[in-house]
Amino acid sequence: PMQVYQITGESGVRGRIEAGLMTGLTPLVGREEEVSLLLRRWEQAKNSEGQVVLLQGEAGIGKSRLVQVIKEQLAQEPYSQIELRCSPFLQNSALYPVIEHVQRVLQFDRDDSREEKFQKLAAGAHGRAPLQSDTIPLLASLLSLPLPDSYPPLNLTPQRQKQKTLETLLSWLLAEADEKPVLLIVEDLHWIDPSTLELLGLILEQIPTARILVVMTFRSDFTPPWPMQAHLTQLTLTRFARKQVEMMVEKIAGGGLPVEVVQQIVSKTDGVPLFVEEVTKAVMEVENVGARHAVPLQSIPATLHDSLMARLDRLGPAKEVAQLGATLGREFSWEVLRAVSPLDEIVLQSALDKLTEAELLYQRGQPPQTRYIFKHALIQDAAYQSLLKSTRQQYHQQIAQVLEEQFTEVKETQPELLAHHYTEAGLIEQAIPYWQQAGQKAVQRSANEEAIRHFTKGLEILKNLPATSERIRQELALQIALGAPLVAAKGYAASEVEKAYVRARQLCQQLGETPQLFTVLRGLWVWYAVRSKLTEARQLGEQLLALAHATQDPAAYLEAYHALGQTFFHLGEFVLARENCEQGYAIYDSQQHHSHVFLYGTDPGIACLFWGSLALWFLGYPEQALQRSQTALSLAKELSHPLDLAYAFQDVASVHQYRREGQLAQKYAEATVALSNEQGLPFWLAFGIFIRGWSLAELGQDGGVSQMRQGITGWQTTGAQTWLPYYLTPLIEACINQGQLVEAESLLIEALSAVDKTGERTHEAELYRLKGELTLRQFNVQGSKFKVNIPHSAFRTPHSEAEACFLKAIDIARRQHAKMLELRATVSLARLWRQQGKQAEARRMLDEIYNWFTEGFDTKDLQEAKTLLVELNH
């Protein structure tokens, strides 16, 4: 809804408004209240009360003209002005408006070498931005400039690099605002790219205490993603009333138009300011306009498009220049236009001057650095739509070829621009590689939403090509490329991820055996593994191994063994998990295979160590498990990659958790949390918070259970479903120990249900042991009975129910060769039997499992077992 503001008691502000209303290219009427509001918000911003004004309205309603008035009003004040202009052609180019602004600020010339541009960047950054050690490398990457050897490389994940780049840009803006007030204008927000929108979100969080006024314009079909707050004002510009239209016509025409002509303009323009302006000018450009009484009413255009076309038609050869410029975009440079235009420079410049004089184009800068901007997107659209389809395609083809051959920096930094022009030219085969290149470039910048759009666009236009094997190969390449940003943007478990990889598998089947099949199945395996569809994950792991056998490729063997090792671990088949992980690690070469982290998101060597170490603990080798996890950590530090390090920290933390070493588990959990926060790794952050919570609970400190819950919530938000029994098992034990028995019972039912549903049996034995412990605790505390869902069980006493649970846990653990879980369940059973007078049976069973072990005698589990054995021997 439009907000109405009174202008009272502010004669100074009103005076400034009235003095400036007639300045600029087009007279402004009927927006006094809106201008007054904007100027008041500016006064607040100058006093460190930052403000945001969202200027909404339909196309042609006067949003940009209102912004122009504010710029005119502030022309004599000391302030910084930043303009970001969004474009429909570049709404999937990550941070394009920001990059354009930074390049203007640093005064990049097209003739500058990359080294010269870097020197300008370094000098400009030192003069403008608060410098951190990585400021210049981050900005160099943003501007696609190579980093000199004197600068250390950025050792960041793509997501973290993007986050730090946004933080650097934000710091730059805030530093500018500390020097003097800033007017930040964002035009055409409805065409903004996701990454720039993300940056605006960060800026708006800092606005309330900054000397910044943000003015953003957008059409009515766009919904701003930010909640309304005290420092945020939304203005909706409405159409003019009849009186305002008459005033505008009078100001444009200078008075004297016949009343019937004015009334026709009022009637036809429907209160849209741009329409009013263009129709009035079209009328004035009619031959013999000096005899205004002679203007024929039928010459008044019926629509805005008609009025724009009438004006363009009367420009002669300049019309073709406008059409060619419109094909380039809302904004275009003299250099590119000159390169694609068949006109000589003098004729071309004359045409541009004519368009500028007619107020159809705005000019910024001087040749050869001149840039031209269509006064309004509707003018650009009218010029573009007036082209015959064949001519339009010819223009697009010519532009694409010129950009490709003469503007190599555009080809490298904005492949989506060439993709667009080739697509509009109908040259699909030439467009596809550029859509793929644009998507891959976006992935490298962690601009995942933009990458998804680029790959998807490529897939859409690919349907226009004949169904040949070459088309299938191109679709396969795009589907595979689409998988990684989908995982990053939506999570491993997103349905879109499955859809992409399932389609890619179908394409592989159509082509027969292809080298890409392994990559496709590997991507699909991750989806099934994370969704806890373990039967399917195992089948895919076996297919990966079969492909590795067929190709005899060590890298394929390594990934297949990793996939099977991880899957067997979740299935509770610990012997097979260990064997596959050890076979994989035996193949691993860090120099050859570390690149897998960029292809699959995981270093396969560290992954094999991770899952192998956990399997070793379950199998009864706690010392070897710890050694293996420390090997993973050493390798991760050597490789110095954030994802690897998070993986390894979590490995060591998990092993210490299983060994019930609270302080050490907490140490590595804290390292996991710190690294995950720094690098933006939500999956590992959730893991770290959970184990930190477990450590607090294990050490008897407050807040442990709540942090464990926080970790589970964070893990669930990533879309993952695997490991639910893992998360719930220690949480159940903590609830039992703290007397939260009702909660423990509810969680136990949920965990056992997950085991039955998914087949994830890693902690099944431990869950039945805890069920027995809970049964005894409930009886002791409440004197109540807790019924256990065991097949063929009749009514039992609480002690017999608990005994049945412990025996079931032992049976499961033995089938899994999970000696550590068998030991825990046997200790629980032995304690119960001792209370029942079955001391000899308890001693015999516990002695048998304890004497199996060959290591780990200083761990809590084995120490408790030994203490109990001593007690049973007396």
Side-chain angles (χ1 to χ4, degrees):
M2 188 177 95
Q3 299 185 22
V4 180
Y5 299 88
Q6 292 285 348
I7 308 175
T8 58
E10 298 187 53
S11 58
V13 173
R14 175 179 282 278
R16 290 166 62 190
I17 298 170
E18 292 173 347
L21 284 179
M22 291 302 296
T23 63
L25 296 175
T26 305
L28 183 73
V29 297
R31 300 299 188 200
E32 293 86 351
E33 294 178 355
E34 288 85 352
V35 175
S36 176
L37 172 69
L38 285 164
L39 290 175
R40 292 203 306 275
R41 294 293 180 262
W42 174 248
E43 294 297 328
Q44 289 177 272
K46 289 196 298 183
N47 293 318
S48 299
E49 299 177 23
Q51 298 292 313
V52 179
V53 178
L54 301 175
L55 203 53
Q56 173 183 344
E58 63 183 293
I61 204 68
K63 302 182 293 295
S64 297
R65 186 65 189 91
L66 186 57
V67 170
Q68 180 66 26
V69 169
I70 297 304
K71 289 157 59 178
E72 293 168 358
Q73 292 291 307
L74 305 183
Q76 303 305 315
E77 293 193 21
Y79 78 101
S80 294
Q81 180 178 302
I82 299 173
E83 289 191 70
L84 306 180
R85 189 182 299 277
C86 307
S87 165
F89 289 0
L90 297 163
Q91 57 187 314
N92 294 321
S93 299
L95 294 173
Y96 170 77
V98 179
I99 293 170
E100 285 287 290
H101 170 73
V102 173
Q103 289 175 337
R104 288 196 300 269
V105 168
L106 297 176
Q107 298 182 352
F108 281 6
D109 292 332
R110 180 172 175 261
D111 294 334
D112 288 343
S113 66
R114 290 189 171 187
E115 292 73 19
E116 289 170 332
K117 288 181 178 179
F118 184 85
Q119 290 172 3
K120 288 184 176 181
L121 166 62
H126 279 283
R128 297 173 185 271
L131 286 181
Q132 303 293 331
S133 60
D134 55 4
T135 297
I136 292 178
L138 285 168
L139 293 175
S141 177
L142 174 70
L143 300 173
S144 301
L145 297 177
L147 200 62
D149 294 338
S150 56
Y151 285 85
L154 290 168
N155 187 27
L156 300 169
T157 63
Q159 177 61 31
R160 183 53 183 155
Q161 180 170 333
K162 177 184 176 181
Q163 289 174 345
K164 287 185 71 68
T165 299
L166 298 183
E167 291 165 6
T168 298
L169 293 168
L170 174 62
S171 297
W172 195 338
L173 174 64
L174 295 176
E176 188 80 11
D178 287 339
E179 294 292 325
K180 50 188 170 183
V182 173
L183 174 62
L184 172 58
I185 299 167
V186 185
E187 289 262 33
D188 297 324
L189 194 62
H190 46 278
W191 288 322
I192 197 168
D193 63 274
S195 295
T196 303
L197 188 64
E198 186 178 344
L199 174 61
L200 287 179
L202 295 177
I203 292 172
L204 264 58
E205 291 176 2
Q206 302 296 320
I207 283 296
T209 57
R211 295 198 298 170
I212 303 174
L213 171 62
V214 182
V215 180
M216 294 185 272
T217 71
F218 57 95
R219 294 182 183 175
S220 302
D221 56 357
F222 176 81
T223 302
W226 311 290
M228 292 299 294
Q229 300 180 53
H231 63 278
L232 195 151
T233 304
Q234 183 161 334
L235 278 176
T236 300
L237 299 187
T238 57
R239 297 187 178 195
F240 281 169
R242 172 180 290 269
K243 184 65 176 177
Q244 293 169 315
V245 174
E246 292 173 350
M247 288 175 58
M248 188 172 181
V249 172
E250 182 179 356
K251 287 180 180 293
I252 294 171
L257 280 180
V259 173
E260 62 270 24
V261 173
V262 174
Q263 294 309 310
Q264 280 289 316
I265 294 174
V266 170
S267 174
K268 290 186 177 183
T269 56
D270 201 21
V272 178
L274 180 65
F275 196 3
V276 175
E277 177 185 351
E278 293 303 322
V279 169
T280 304
K281 289 180 179 178
V283 169
M284 292 171 63
E285 290 175 359
V286 174
E287 289 187 22
N288 299 319
V289 73
R292 289 197 165 106
H293 61 280
V295 175
L297 296 181
Q298 63 268 24
S299 69
I300 300 176
T303 66
L304 176 57
H305 182 269
D306 290 342
S307 70
L308 292 171
M309 289 311 306
R311 293 192 66 205
L312 285 169
D313 288 339
R314 285 191 289 272
L315 288 173
K319 175 184 176 181
E320 294 183 9
V321 175
Q323 291 171 321
L324 183 56
T327 310
L328 285 167
R330 171 81 184 276
E331 182 175 349
F332 55 90
S333 71
W334 159 258
E335 286 183 300
V336 175
L337 182 67
R338 182 183 59 184
V340 299
S341 173
L343 302 176
D344 65 54
E345 288 191 18
I346 295 176
V347 176
L348 179 62
Q349 187 61 63
S350 175
L352 288 168
D353 291 342
K354 196 169 184 179
L355 290 167
T356 304
E357 290 167 6
E359 300 176 15
L360 296 174
L361 292 181
Y362 292 145
Q363 176 181 335
R364 182 169 62 200
Q366 297 298 322
Q369 302 301 322
T370 310
R371 297 191 70 82
Y372 293 91
I373 305 168
F374 279 94
K375 176 182 175 180
H376 199 282
L378 293 178
I379 298 175
Q380 177 211 353
D381 187 61
Y384 182 73
Q385 295 300 330
S386 67
L387 286 165
L388 294 173
K389 181 179 179 181
S390 58
T391 306
R392 189 184 309 161
Q393 290 184 323
Q394 179 186 342
Y395 280 0
H396 279 296
Q397 179 179 353
Q398 188 175 352
I399 291 168
Q401 290 172 344
V402 167
L403 291 176
E404 193 172 44
E405 296 167 5
Q406 300 181 35
F407 293 83
T408 55
E409 73 278 7
V410 174
K411 177 180 176 181
E412 294 173 2
T413 61
Q414 293 178 265
E416 62 272 21
L417 201 54
L418 281 90
H420 163 74
H421 287 297
Y422 273 128
T423 299
E424 294 303 314
L427 300 174
I428 305 302
E429 292 181 356
Q430 288 91 326
I432 293 295
Y434 283 113
W435 284 122
Q436 185 165 350
Q437 184 180 335
Q440 290 166 342
K441 188 173 183 62
V443 168
Q444 292 168 5
R445 290 186 168 183
S446 202
N448 295 303
E449 290 293 343
E450 292 92 331
I452 292 167
R453 295 179 187 182
H454 291 319
F455 291 136
T456 302
K457 180 64 177 180
L459 288 167
E460 287 175 358
I461 66 170
L462 195 61
K463 297 175 184 177
N464 296 315
L465 293 179
T468 63
S469 58
E470 178 58 29
R471 194 195 86 169
I472 296 174
R473 272 188 283 272
Q474 288 178 321
E475 183 183 353
L476 176 59
L478 286 167
Q479 290 287 1
I480 293 174
L482 180 60
L486 282 174
V487 166
K490 302 180 182 297
Y492 285 106
S495 59
E496 295 91 336
V497 175
E498 180 196 24
K499 181 179 178 181
Y501 283 120
V502 166
R503 176 57 181 163
R505 181 168 60 178
Q506 293 171 349
L507 294 169
C508 287
Q509 291 169 347
Q510 290 180 34
L511 289 170
E513 291 298 324
T514 66
Q516 296 91 338
L517 180 59
F518 189 92
T519 301
V520 171
L521 295 181
R522 172 63 169 73
L524 201 53
W525 166 79
V526 172
W527 189 86
Y528 282 116
V530 174
R531 288 295 293 262
S532 206
K533 295 179 178 293
L534 298 177
T535 300
E536 295 88 341
R538 178 174 184 168
Q539 292 171 352
L540 284 166
E542 290 168 348
Q543 289 181 50
L544 289 172
L545 187 58
L547 286 174
H549 284 317
T551 60
Q552 292 295 299
D553 180 5
Y557 272 117
L558 175 55
E559 288 296 338
Y561 285 135
H562 160 217
L564 284 169
Q566 181 175 336
T567 305
F568 282 131
F569 177 84
H570 288 309
L571 288 167
E573 299 184 34
F574 301 114
V575 173
L576 290 174
R578 174 188 179 182
E579 289 175 355
N580 279 275
C581 287
E582 289 183 348
Q583 285 179 288
Y585 187 64
I587 296 170
Y588 176 73
D589 182 300
S590 61
Q591 297 299 317
Q592 294 182 30
H593 301 131
H594 179 57
S595 60
H596 289 214
V597 73
F598 304 104
L599 181 61
Y600 299 119
T602 303
D603 180 277
I606 291 176
C608 286
L609 290 168
F610 181 104
W611 299 105
S613 66
L614 300 187
L616 281 166
W617 182 85
F618 278 88
L619 291 169
Y621 302 102
E623 294 301 326
Q624 293 182 51
L626 185 58
Q627 291 169 5
R628 194 63 55 90
S629 69
Q630 291 290 349
T631 300
L633 183 56
S634 298
L635 175 60
K637 289 179 177 178
E638 177 186 332
L639 296 172
S640 190
H641 188 275
L643 280 172
D644 299 333
L645 201 54
Y647 215 149
F649 274 142
Q650 191 56 41
D651 187 12
V652 181
S654 297
V655 171
H656 282 303
Q657 179 202 359
Y658 281 131
R659 288 166 57 102
R660 296 169 62 190
E661 295 165 339
Q663 288 185 338
L664 290 170
Q666 182 177 6
K667 172 185 173 182
Y668 290 101
E670 294 284 8
T672 305
V673 169
L675 180 65
S676 299
N677 277 323
E678 177 189 342
Q679 295 289 339
L681 306 172
F683 185 85
W684 296 114
L685 176 62
F687 235 134
I689 290 173
F690 178 82
I691 292 189
R692 183 173 65 186
W694 173 86
S695 301
L696 293 174
E698 178 73 8
L699 297 170
Q701 300 177 20
D702 294 335
V705 169
S706 64
Q707 286 207 32
M708 293 169 79
R709 294 185 185 281
Q710 181 185 346
I712 293 174
T713 300
W715 163 80
Q716 288 174 328
T717 59
T718 69
Q721 297 179 19
T722 310
W723 279 58
L724 181 59
Y726 158 78
Y727 278 113
L728 294 181
T729 299
L731 179 58
I732 292 166
E733 186 167 32
C735 288
I736 293 173
N737 292 338
Q738 295 184 15
Q740 300 176 22
L741 304 185
V742 173
E743 180 66 15
E745 180 178 347
S746 175
L747 292 170
L748 191 53
I749 293 171
E750 181 182 358
L752 287 172
S753 174
V755 170
D756 291 338
K757 180 180 178 180
T758 66
E760 187 181 342
R761 304 193 177 277
T762 306
H763 295 82
E764 185 179 18
E766 184 72 344
L767 287 169
Y768 276 100
R769 182 187 75 84
L770 291 174
K771 196 168 191 177
E773 295 287 359
L774 179 60
T775 301
L776 295 174
R777 181 68 67 89
Q778 284 184 317
F779 178 76
N780 292 335
V781 171
Q782 303 171 359
S784 63
K785 297 181 179 63
F786 178 75
K787 293 192 176 180
V788 183
N789 183 23
I790 296 177
H792 312 300
S793 64
F795 176 79
R796 292 187 173 95
T797 66
H799 291 87
S800 63
E801 288 179 0
E803 179 181 36
C805 286
F806 296 146
L807 288 170
K808 185 175 181 68
I810 292 169
D811 179 62
I812 293 170
R814 285 176 175 172
R815 284 189 276 112
Q816 295 178 336
H817 304 280
K819 293 297 183 180
M820 292 304 305
L821 299 187
E822 182 183 350
L823 177 68
R824 287 185 179 179
T826 302
V827 167
S828 293
L829 180 62
R831 286 173 176 159
L832 176 61
W833 278 356
R834 183 179 61 174
Q835 294 174 6
Q836 295 175 329
K838 301 178 182 178
Q839 193 153 325
E841 294 94 328
R843 182 173 60 248
R844 183 170 57 253
M845 180 173 279
L846 183 57
D847 186 68
E848 180 181 350
I849 182 62
Y850 180 82
N851 286 326
W852 179 91
F853 284 87
T854 58
E855 63 179 61
F857 295 105
D858 59 341
T859 61
K860 279 190 177 182
D861 286 305
L862 284 158
Q863 287 179 345
E864 288 180 359
K866 182 178 180 181
T867 299
L868 182 56
L869 272 175
V870 171
E871 293 172 356
L872 289 170
N873 284 321
H874 290 83

